[in-house]
Amino acid sequence: MFLFNLLLSQGIFPESMKIAKVIPLFKKGDSAMPENYRPISLLSVFSKLLEKLVHVRVYCFWTKFNVLYDYQFGFRKNHSTDLALLDVMDTCYSNLAAGNKAVGYYLIFRKLLTR
């Protein structure tokens, strides 16, 4: 722990630990198409431990000082995307029960690759 605290306090991270092995991971579809793969970086154990330490400290800070928006559902404990959907449905049902109309707009973003 001393070494990690020293690195963080001085803002230093060894160059040798910045190296990652990047491999393509197949998602779905035609295996001959490059867009059906996503890159995965394999890091050293040291890098992963430091990343986890920073994550815990930052998340604790955000929680302690109430920095995160209440309706930030992704990437948070006890705030799943299922809860986001339930919140939207609850809002719609409440408005319909009050005689209001509910309208939903849905956007799907997809990264397009050009060759």
Side-chain angles (χ1 to χ4, degrees), residues 5 7 17 30 32 37 45 50-51 55-57 63 68 74-75 77 80 85 92 94 98 100 108-109 111 114:
N5 286 331
L7 292 173
M17 296 296 166
D30 184 3
Y37 290 84
V45 173
L50 184 61
E51 179 182 359
H55 173 267
V56 168
R57 288 184 181 183
T63 305
L68 294 176
F75 309 106
K77 287 182 181 177
S80 69
L85 181 58
C92 289
S94 296
N100 299 323
I108 298 174
F109 294 101
K111 183 177 179 182
T114 57

Side-chain angles (χ1 to χ4, degrees), residues 75-95:
F75 309 106
R76 289 180 67 189
K77 287 182 181 177
N78 303 319
H79 287 78
S80 69
T81 52
D82 292 340
L83 288 176
L85 181 58
L86 286 173
D87 183 64
V88 169
M89 290 175 57
D90 184 52
T91 302
C92 289
Y93 286 137
S94 296
N95 278 296

Side-chain angles (χ1 to χ4, degrees), residues 12-32:
I12 297 172
F13 194 71
E15 289 294 324
S16 60
M17 296 296 166
K18 294 180 182 179
I19 298 172
K21 180 180 180 183
V22 180
I23 61 169
L25 184 65
F26 181 67
K27 294 187 296 185
K28 63 180 178 178
D30 184 3
S31 62

